[in-house]
Amino acid sequence: MEVSPLNTKTHNHARSNSLPSKPHPVILQCNELLARLEGASDATSSSSLLSHKLSGLQDLHNCIEKLVQLPQTQEALVQEHQEKWVDELLEGSLRLLDTCTATKDALLHTKECTRELQSIIRRRRGGEVAEVKKFLTSRKVVRKAIFKALENLKGNANKCSLSNTNKGYQSVALLKEVEVVAFSIFESLLNFMSGSTQSKRSSWCLVSKLMNNKRVSCSQEVDENEFAKVDSVLQFFAFNMASKSNDMDDLQNKLARLGSCIQDLEEGLESLFRCLIKIRVALLNILNH
């Protein structure tokens, strides 16, 4: 069939008016929240800052949940479901859940031991030293689990970049950027919970810098670390049995502050964990349809 000049002209006119589509508002919102978290990465670590980061990370994942529901995101996942990068996204979401679970478990274990020690000290009927030593032994177990989780994070840093991702899918690239920032925050939190005072350059901060070509300071200095303070005072208490009353009061105060710190972090982690589950379920539902 012969194509009329009019139809050809109309077709060419339509193509000439075709402009690149603007990013979806959800993508813009995710990018804004992501930039805030990356901007906070150059601050020193403290319990209040980490709680703030967990809150920001939850807000970001609430936005990511909306992002996953966008037609363009679902189209990318469905059309390229056999590509390696889709499997990497699923593996990344599972690793985030595993890391979040390990962090929650370490916090829960420390909270339970803290409460037991506080109860013994309040009664002041003896047995404080034995309970302190029990707490320190428990902390060694927790620290061992934390260091194992940190080693796993270092191994995951090598899996940060998506394989053969279609660069046209902004939403897909954004999902991976969020994963990297989340791992970076978990790494900071785990180091903080270990009570470590050694300054380290975060491998996940370096990954984030490489992925986004942004200058991100990765300071890991400890500022008012409640875990480290309690570890220190209990080490002293365990080897100085003739402690004075004011020493006991100081210990109680530090344990109370640690308990409050754990409570805040635990609430943030629990909310984040629920977000991570929803996102993984959404991804699996899309791919299984």
Side-chain angles (χ1 to χ4, degrees):
M1 178 183 294
E2 184 177 348
V3 180
S4 70
L6 178 61
N7 287 341
T8 304
K9 182 178 179 181
T10 304
H11 178 67
N12 290 337
H13 179 70
R15 289 185 62 185
S16 65
N17 286 337
S18 178
L19 298 174
S21 59
K22 293 182 180 179
H24 192 281
V26 172
I27 294 178
L28 294 176
Q29 184 183 7
C30 287
N31 279 323
E32 181 181 348
L33 293 171
L34 183 62
R36 289 179 190 175
L37 283 175
E38 290 172 342
S41 297
D42 58 357
T44 54
S45 295
S46 67
S47 58
S48 59
L49 174 64
L50 288 169
S51 293
H52 178 72
K53 285 184 177 181
L54 285 176
S55 178
L57 196 57
Q58 181 188 345
D59 291 340
L60 177 57
H61 278 85
N62 284 332
C63 192
I64 289 298
E65 189 178 355
K66 299 176 185 176
L67 178 72
V68 171
Q69 300 301 330
L70 292 181
Q72 63 197 78
T73 306
Q74 296 190 16
E75 178 186 0
L77 292 169
V78 171
Q79 288 187 356
E80 305 194 27
H81 67 279
Q82 293 182 336
E83 295 293 335
K84 185 178 179 181
W85 63 261
V86 176
D87 290 334
E88 290 171 348
L89 277 181
L90 290 175
E91 290 173 5
S93 70
L94 184 59
R95 290 196 300 269
L96 277 175
L97 281 170
D98 288 343
T99 303
C100 192
T101 299
T103 308
K104 285 173 54 185
D105 289 346
L107 271 180
L108 178 62
H109 196 106
T110 304
K111 181 177 74 172
E112 291 174 348
C113 293
T114 301
R115 286 181 174 177
E116 290 178 12
L117 182 55
Q118 285 177 302
S119 178
I120 292 291
I121 293 176
R122 276 196 299 267
R123 292 198 297 266
R124 296 197 179 186
R125 296 178 181 176
E128 291 91 345
V129 174
E131 195 65 27
V132 164
K133 291 181 177 179
K134 178 181 175 183
F135 181 95
L136 291 173
T137 300
S138 175
R139 279 289 288 160
K140 288 181 180 179
V141 175
V142 170
R143 283 166 62 89
K144 184 177 180 180
I146 288 174
F147 293 144
K148 181 179 179 181
L150 286 170
E151 284 299 317
N152 290 336
L153 281 178
K154 290 177 182 177
N156 290 337
N158 296 324
K159 306 173 183 177
C160 66
S161 57
L162 287 172
S163 301
N164 300 320
T165 309
N166 187 328
K167 299 300 182 180
Y169 293 124
Q170 292 177 306
S171 52
V172 172
L174 184 56
L175 286 172
K176 199 60 183 180
E177 289 182 39
V178 170
E179 178 187 320
V180 170
V181 169
F183 277 130
S184 176
I185 291 175
F186 275 122
E187 185 176 29
S188 295
L189 178 54
L190 287 167
N191 274 314
F192 186 84
M193 288 167 53
S194 74
S196 174
T197 57
Q198 293 181 352
S199 180
K200 278 188 175 182
R201 192 170 181 82
S202 164
S203 57
W204 280 103
C205 281
L206 294 174
V207 168
S208 180
K209 180 179 178 182
L210 289 172
M211 285 190 68
N212 301 295
N213 294 321
K214 296 177 181 178
R215 184 176 180 178
V216 180
S217 173
C218 305
S219 173
Q220 293 292 319
E221 296 176 10
V222 175
D223 177 29
E224 297 296 314
N225 188 324
E226 290 85 353
F227 293 88
K229 285 186 174 182
V230 167
D231 287 344
S232 178
V233 73
L234 289 182
Q235 288 284 358
F236 174 81
F237 185 87
F239 297 101
N240 292 271
M241 300 176 62
S243 297
K244 299 178 181 179
S245 177
N246 58 342
D247 293 331
M248 295 293 290
D249 291 339
D250 180 60
L251 174 56
Q252 282 182 305
N253 289 334
K254 285 183 169 58
L255 287 171
R257 285 194 289 272
L258 176 60
S260 177
C261 165
I262 290 174
Q263 183 69 25
D264 290 342
L265 294 175
E266 196 173 38
E267 290 175 358
L269 282 171
E270 188 58 41
S271 298
L272 177 59
F273 185 75
R274 289 195 293 268
C275 289
L276 293 174
I277 288 180
K278 288 180 180 179
I279 292 170
R280 178 165 175 80
V281 170
L283 289 172
L284 290 172
N285 285 339
I286 293 169
L287 293 171
N288 290 333
H289 275 177

